[in-house]
Amino acid sequence: MPYLKGGTALIFYLMTTLSSSPGPIGVFDSGYGGLTILDEIRRKLPQYDYIYLGDNARAPYGTRSFDIVYRFTLEAVNYLFSQGCHLVILGCNTASAKALRTIQQNDLPAIDPARRVLGVIRPTVEKIGEITSTGNIGIVGTPGTVRSRSYDMEIEKLYPGFRTYSQACPMWVPLVENGEAQGDGTDYFVKRDVEALMSKHPAIDTVILGCTHYPLLKDKVEKYVPEGVKVLSQGAIVADSLADYLDRHKEMAARCSKNATCRYLTTESSDKFSESASLFLSEPVEATSISL
Ligand code: DGL
């Protein structure tokens, strides 16, 4: 680099080295919900390095506008890229519904066309064809995910002829975030919203838990759906889909480092994150606080 001098050459060298050397897989969520995705991904692909980022200071995203969710998600993705991630999974349905497409189509080409951001909605929808018998699919999610109609549109695209019925459950994320997943009071809201969903069509035979917080409420949802209705969590589905993706994209797999480590970042207090994360994971974690 004879035309670059001193500091400039060093910065250029560091930038190109960082952008080409293998880095961890980033997993992002507005808060703790994405830990249910991370947990299953690490179970399936333990050899990789991971960075989990929870934007806990600004969660929940579910009731926020399209523009705000997009802006917050892009900030988080850029932060994970700055930490050396080449691949980021949005472990959040709300962010996948409201920000993923714009980031993939408008932002990534300018940031770095070789990096990838993947969501959780498409892999979940791909799976339902194997599960439903009636083609009547129920979806529970945050108000933002339900309003976006992302699930309905993906399902229409992939399975024309299937019918979708959605129910927004605005209380479920706050209940889980506040450690009330097992609380008796939570039954009231789960029962109310599940009954509202099921009243939309008696032939619904599959219910997608379309929010990464909801696996913690799966027992309660199963308690209130009619017998025989299948309740689908996304973690294992997303993990299988990621394993398949890395298998088909060897160049990306080579750019993901493999030392079996996991770092946890939060925009809230690190102590608070470490304490609450134990509700979602079986192992204790130590988080670091960052600002976006
Ligand atoms: N866990 C996120 C999701 O899957 C939503 C939580 C929130 O409202 O921030 O949609």
Side-chain angles (χ1 to χ4, degrees):
M1 284 173 282
Y3 51 90
L4 294 175
K5 288 203 195 132
T8 318
L10 180 64
I11 291 168
F12 181 79
Y13 171 78
L14 285 174
M15 278 173 64
T16 38
T17 309
L18 186 64
S19 69
S20 60
S21 54
I25 296 173
V27 178
F28 167 69
D29 182 41
S30 59
Y32 300 107
L35 292 171
T36 62
I37 301 287
L38 175 73
D39 204 30
E40 293 289 349
I41 292 179
R42 287 187 71 206
R43 214 185 293 272
K44 178 90 189 175
L45 300 164
Q47 68 275 32
Y48 288 97
D49 295 317
Y50 297 92
I51 300 186
Y52 182 85
L53 170 56
D55 190 7
N56 301 79
R58 303 189 291 194
Y61 279 13
T63 44
R64 291 190 186 276
S65 70
F66 205 94
D67 284 352
I68 293 291
V69 172
Y70 161 65
R71 184 155 62 78
F72 287 178
T73 305
L74 182 59
E75 284 171 7
V77 165
N78 274 327
Y79 188 89
L80 287 166
F81 285 165
S82 79
Q83 300 300 297
C85 299
H86 296 274
L87 175 62
V88 172
I89 313 297
L90 302 184
C92 174
N93 288 270
T94 311
S96 298
K98 292 184 161 189
L100 179 64
R101 183 151 310 180
T102 316
I103 291 177
Q104 284 174 333
Q105 292 177 356
N106 297 356
D107 298 298
L108 270 186
I111 299 169
D112 181 350
R115 297 189 199 241
R116 288 287 173 272
V117 180
L118 305 175
V120 290
I121 294 179
R122 175 79 189 198
T124 309
V125 168
E126 281 171 359
K127 190 78 186 171
I128 57 167
E130 296 167 25
I131 294 167
T132 178
S133 323
T134 67
N136 288 283
I137 313 297
I139 300 137
V140 282
T142 64
T145 299
V146 168
R147 217 176 310 119
S148 76
R149 298 198 74 253
S150 296
Y151 272 100
D152 312 74
M153 289 186 297
E154 279 298 333
I155 291 172
E156 273 160 31
K157 239 191 287 167
L158 229 59
Y159 306 104
F162 280 18
R163 288 151 304 275
T164 53
Y165 309 90
S166 305
Q167 181 65 37
C169 309
M171 288 302 291
W172 293 16
V173 168
L175 286 164
V176 171
E177 289 267 323
N178 285 291
E180 286 297 325
Q182 300 305 321
D184 292 341
T186 300
D187 277 81
Y188 168 80
F189 292 101
V190 174
K191 180 172 186 289
R192 184 192 68 180
D193 295 339
V194 166
E195 284 177 356
L197 173 71
M198 296 311 299
S199 73
K200 293 179 184 181
H201 204 286
I204 294 173
D205 72 344
T206 305
V207 173
I208 298 175
L209 298 180
C211 171
T212 54
H213 283 70
Y214 295 178
L216 275 81
L217 301 173
K218 191 173 183 209
D219 289 355
K220 291 198 192 293
V221 177
E222 281 171 337
K223 189 163 132 192
Y224 295 114
V225 293
E227 219 183 307
V229 172
K230 284 155 239 126
V231 178
L232 215 62
S233 304
Q234 300 175 293
I237 297 172
V238 173
D240 285 349
S241 164
L242 178 61
D244 179 55
Y245 175 86
L246 291 169
D247 212 37
R248 285 183 291 110
H249 296 84
K250 303 270 190 264
E251 76 298 341
M252 180 54 84
R255 297 168 80 207
C256 297
S257 53
K258 300 173 189 72
N259 303 296
T261 65
C262 189
R263 286 167 59 206
Y264 296 88
L265 309 177
T266 175
T267 54
E268 247 286 355
S269 113
S270 52
D271 287 348
K272 187 167 184 276
F273 184 93
S274 304
E275 198 185 305
S276 302
S278 61
L279 298 171
F280 293 78
L281 298 169
S282 39
E283 60 176 22
V285 306
E286 214 163 288
T288 305
S289 182
I290 59 122
S291 317
L292 288 175

